[in-house]
Amino acid sequence: MPVSVADIEVRLGRRFEEAEKPRVEAFIEDAAAFIRDYCGSRYAPDAPGIRAVLCSEVIRWLAVQPGIVSERVGDVEVQFGPASSAQQLSPAARTALKRYRRPLSTVRLGRG
């Protein structure tokens, strides 16, 4: 696996409790799967850009509280929704990963 729980801990600046680690590991696997699906076969999983995107997506997912749609700090406002947001790659992640995707091409067909 190109990213570990320790990589996420370093970026967050804190250690995870043992009870938190399975969730972080699952998020790493899920984010890596989304990146593989998005990029196809044209990337190295240990490329620095891939590692950075994977870590940032996991951190973003960890920051989402299930059921909370929005928060506001000034005058404390929290809005709850019926369900949490779906896990997916963010627009920023997709933009960063574009260079790892296979470019579109055409195939010429002919009789021969």
Side-chain angles (χ1 to χ4, degrees):
M1 190 178 317
V3 171
S4 68
V5 172
D7 293 319
I8 305 301
E9 289 175 333
V10 167
R11 284 161 177 82
L12 279 177
R14 74 171 185 92
R15 291 210 171 275
F16 291 111
E17 301 287 329
E18 284 303 313
E20 295 175 292
K21 288 182 180 181
R23 181 174 183 231
V24 176
E25 290 168 348
F27 280 172
I28 291 169
E29 289 177 25
D30 293 349
F34 281 131
I35 290 171
R36 272 192 308 276
D37 288 348
Y38 184 78
C39 293
S41 62
R42 191 179 173 245
Y43 79 101
D46 59 344
I50 298 291
R51 291 174 55 85
V53 169
L54 204 160
C55 288
S56 67
E57 288 300 287
V58 170
I59 290 167
R60 184 176 67 83
W61 292 353
L62 288 169
V64 173
Q65 296 297 318
I68 295 179
V69 177
S70 69
E71 291 182 88
R72 191 168 121 187
V73 176
D75 296 329
V76 186
E77 176 183 317
V78 178
Q79 292 181 2
F80 294 93
S84 63
S85 61
Q87 285 181 324
Q88 60 186 2
L89 292 177
S90 67
R94 282 186 246 123
T95 299
L97 293 170
K98 279 187 182 178
R99 67 185 180 136
Y100 297 100
R101 292 188 77 175
R102 179 186 295 174
L104 294 176
S105 60
T106 59
V107 177
R108 292 182 186 224
L109 301 174
R111 294 182 180 193

